[in-house]
Amino acid sequence: MAREQLNGAAYSLHAFAERQDLAAALAGHVAGRLTNAIAERGTALLAVSGGTTPAKFFASLSNIPIAWNKITVTLVDERCVPASSPRSNAGLVAANLLQNAAAAARFVPLYHEAASIEDTWEADSRMLRSLPWPLDVVVLGMGTDGHTASFFPDADNLEKLLDPSSERVVFPVHAASAGEPRLTLSLARIVRAGFVALHIEGEDKRNAFESAMGSETRKPIRAVLDTAERPVEVFWAP
């Protein structure tokens, strides 16, 4: 592990030769942090990202025998699609994480079908506020455009999404590059987490991450590193 700093943003880099080794190591870190949180306050709150990257990590974490009945799992962001859709992050989590030992965890999705994304946002904001904040662990992904969560560079409300002082829990997101509308946790909720991990795979994402760190342009992933209360732990494999 190496402690790195680019343009003032501090982070720790964990590099692995194989993606399965990354998945196992990240799962061990997350399980340890969740266990510590339970010991300190009797419960733990975990937020995870979607897409295809975290499937191996989810499978590794699901088999670790921690006190899953005291853990609440939610999502960093979600596409506004039914859980049965192959593009649903909730569906990915259900199929890969909420299995084996982790089946005992409580899961709180971000998206419920409603008349509009704004209606969904209103309902989910009320529900999410009841969770045991702050987040103990958040595991982010990243796109090659520097987006993380659903903080897309072309989002029409990006400035609000990246406001580290916002008291909102979740925001609706409309961005051409995102495809369908989405819901995302606010940057403020993410950067207050006790442990923030960034899970990236492939040379293209490693290059995109380093470009975002070295650029004067404030891409969304850079905003996370700039405002996180603790250095972000970056897990990467080719």
Side-chain angles (χ1 to χ4, degrees), residues 117-118 154-157 172-176 178 180-182:
I117 186 175
E118 286 73 22
D154 62 336
D156 56 12
N157 59 342
V173 178
H174 298 275
E180 59 272 279
R182 301 193 183 200

Side-chain angles (χ1 to χ4, degrees), residues 108-191:
V108 178
L110 285 192
Y111 175 68
H112 297 85
E113 291 187 72
S116 69
I117 186 175
E118 286 73 22
D119 291 339
T120 299
W121 166 63
E122 293 283 357
D124 287 351
S125 292
R126 291 192 295 270
M127 178 183 65
L128 290 165
R129 284 188 181 279
S130 68
L131 297 183
W133 299 98
L135 288 164
D136 295 293
V137 176
V138 59
V139 182
L140 300 169
M142 190 198 74
T144 53
D145 61 353
H147 88 263
T148 189
S150 280
F151 308 149
F152 287 89
D154 62 336
D156 56 12
N157 59 342
L158 184 62
E159 185 175 347
K160 291 181 179 179
L161 298 177
L162 299 183
D163 178 1
S165 64
S166 174
E167 291 303 315
R168 289 188 176 181
V169 179
V170 64
F171 280 93
V173 178
H174 298 275
S177 62
E180 59 272 279
R182 301 193 183 200
L183 295 167
T184 188
L185 294 185
S186 66
L187 175 71
R189 297 285 170 163
I190 289 171
V191 299

Side-chain angles (χ1 to χ4, degrees), residues 69-93:
N69 61 323
K70 297 180 180 180
I71 296 170
T72 297
V73 179
T74 192
L75 292 163
V76 171
D77 64 337
E78 179 62 288
R79 299 174 177 89
C80 292
V81 297
S84 58
S85 168
R87 290 179 59 76
S88 167
N89 289 342
L92 177 80
V93 168

